[in-house]
Amino acid sequence: MIKIKNNFIGILIALIGILTGYFIMLQWTTYKATQKLIYNTEDNNAITLEASNLMETNQDLRDRLDRLNIQIDELKQSLDNRKSAAEAISAGLRQNQIIEGTTKASGEGIRLEFFGPLIKTQAIDLINALRNIGAEAIAINNKRFTDKSSIENFPIADSTVAFEIIGKKDILYEALTRKGGILEQIGKNNKVEKKEQLVLPAKQ
Amino acid sequence: MKKILHFQFNYIALASLIVGLAIGFLIMAQWKVKPIRVQNPVLPFVTLRTIRDNLTKEQNDLKIKIAANQKESNDLTAQIKKDKKESSALLDDYENSKKEVGLTDLAGDGVLIMIDDSRGPATIDSITHAADLRDLVDFLWANGAAAISINGERLIYNSSIDCIVNTVLINNTKTTPPFNILVIGNANKLSNALNDENNLREIRKRVKNQGLVFRVSAENNLKIPVYNGSFKIETAKIAE
């Protein structure tokens, strides 16, 4: 009788022990998960950066969609003989000509001068950064750099390399000169000036 | 004997009491657990991720609409030309310029390049970087490419290839390896340039030493999609 009782008590204690162990584990894993969720700073920063980039990008996309809708309306009006779309088509053509570089381009922007030659990868990375920042037209040492241009055909090994970039001058200036930005990464001696008016040649 | 049993019973009772208290405490702790106040005052981590995912979905939706609307605009222009509603010279110039700048689909012969991370252990040199793609694209333009796309993203005047943490962004759109690069142009010239051992040495070195994947094939009738990203020329004007 006592033996049965002892066995029963033993089993009961074993069960209690298992239950205790389970709850300890559960508490521990919940605590670790909570800590990871809240204090995962690296993931937080990366996701914040992604989200911020996406917000800006999506606004640009919405703007483009709006302009396309206006263009479609104008083209439909032309088809219906309600209104000529010649102006809209001409505006589109002018825009494309600037991109192709088949005409001279003018506008506000930035003049960026390097006092020493650049290596190819530096120039490629700089052009990439300029495009990201909002460059609309670029020239290197007075030679137009367009959508299909390659750095290989440009004089970046000269003792002075001057980039002229048409775009919103304040945005370009701030993005280029910010701490940790592309100019700091390139590390070459340089001078950046805002310009009210630049004139870039047509591509040769 | 009775004393031994009594002692044993007391010991068991004490042990059970302690264990019972511990279980009770843990049950209470689990029940009452509150989230600690977040360190980031702006948003908790989970909400940030949801916002990012929603914005990504919105981006995809917008790009699909832009591609559809650009095609509609192109079709309307073609119809206007057919119906002779506007000057055909103006329309010809406009249509040709749209092809050049990436505002139409394009088909033609060229090459297909596939660049991918190594199948082996990941190291800094065995994965594809945004910089590799930038160098490759510059090389392709130097060798007569007429149009390029990477994983469906058409490259145009304002296209950038960047890296945020471990992700490659092309036209501000997240893309993942393998990177399939479609290039329309003279297939022979492009193939010869890409297969020349003296070119793209850095990539070739990593293919040999780190297992980076880099394959080139000449292709007929490649189809490169219309550009569907942001597009604005607001500051630049044609200079007289």
Side-chain angles (χ1 to χ4, degrees), chain B residues 25-75:
Chain B
F25 171 75
L26 286 168
I27 291 170
M28 188 200 69
Q30 186 67 21
W31 184 264
K32 283 198 170 277
V33 72
K34 281 183 207 170
I36 301 167
R37 285 194 62 170
V38 292
Q39 292 289 303
N40 185 337
V42 180
L43 286 167
F45 175 75
V46 173
T47 309
L48 251 182
R49 199 151 57 174
T50 308
I51 285 175
R52 188 267 318 264
D53 293 346
N54 288 342
L55 285 167
T56 304
K57 186 179 178 313
E58 187 191 8
Q59 184 193 39
N60 289 339
D61 292 342
L62 284 166
K63 285 167 77 84
I64 289 168
K65 283 179 190 160
I66 284 170
N69 280 19
Q70 184 63 61
K71 282 179 184 157
E72 185 181 355
S73 169
N74 294 345
D75 290 343

Side-chain angles (χ1 to χ4, degrees), chain B residues 85-134:
Chain B
K85 301 287 185 188
E86 305 289 351
S87 149
S88 59
L90 175 66
L91 286 164
D92 282 341
D93 287 346
Y94 184 46
E95 281 185 333
N96 289 336
S97 74
K98 280 199 285 184
K99 276 185 199 145
E100 286 299 318
V101 304
L103 297 182
T104 65
D105 294 335
L106 212 58
D109 298 342
V111 293
L112 167 63
I113 304 166
M114 198 271 272
I115 183 164
D116 195 7
D117 298 347
S118 164
R119 302 282 180 264
T123 66
I124 193 87
D125 285 336
S126 71
I127 59 172
T128 317
H129 298 278
D132 297 328
L133 296 174
R134 290 196 291 267

Side-chain angles (χ1 to χ4, degrees), chain A residues 102-201:
Chain A
T102 51
T103 63
K104 284 194 214 177
S106 66
E108 68 171 57
I110 290 285
R111 183 179 161 83
L112 163 60
E113 213 170 338
F114 289 97
F115 302 109
L118 292 175
I119 60 173
K120 195 164 136 186
T121 50
Q122 288 173 328
I124 289 172
D125 290 349
L126 176 59
I127 293 287
N128 187 73
L130 289 171
R131 284 172 169 164
N132 195 304
I133 295 165
E136 296 179 13
I138 301 171
I140 305 175
N141 281 6
N142 209 37
K143 190 176 171 189
R144 187 74 168 271
F145 190 97
T146 68
D147 55 337
K148 296 185 182 69
S149 294
S150 163
I151 282 294
E152 285 194 16
N153 303 322
F154 284 77
I156 59 166
D158 289 0
S159 56
T160 308
V161 185
F163 285 74
E164 287 178 313
I165 308 121
I166 294 178
K168 293 195 189 319
K169 62 182 189 306
D170 294 331
I171 293 173
L172 286 170
Y173 185 86
E174 203 178 296
L176 283 170
T177 57
R178 70 173 178 84
K179 198 168 165 51
I182 185 69
L183 288 185
E184 201 174 284
Q185 290 176 50
I186 289 173
K188 294 269 187 188
N189 197 11
N190 65 75
K191 181 169 124 181
V192 190
E193 292 174 276
K194 295 186 198 181
K195 294 286 186 187
E196 290 302 323
Q197 182 78 343
L198 289 165
V199 179
L200 308 190

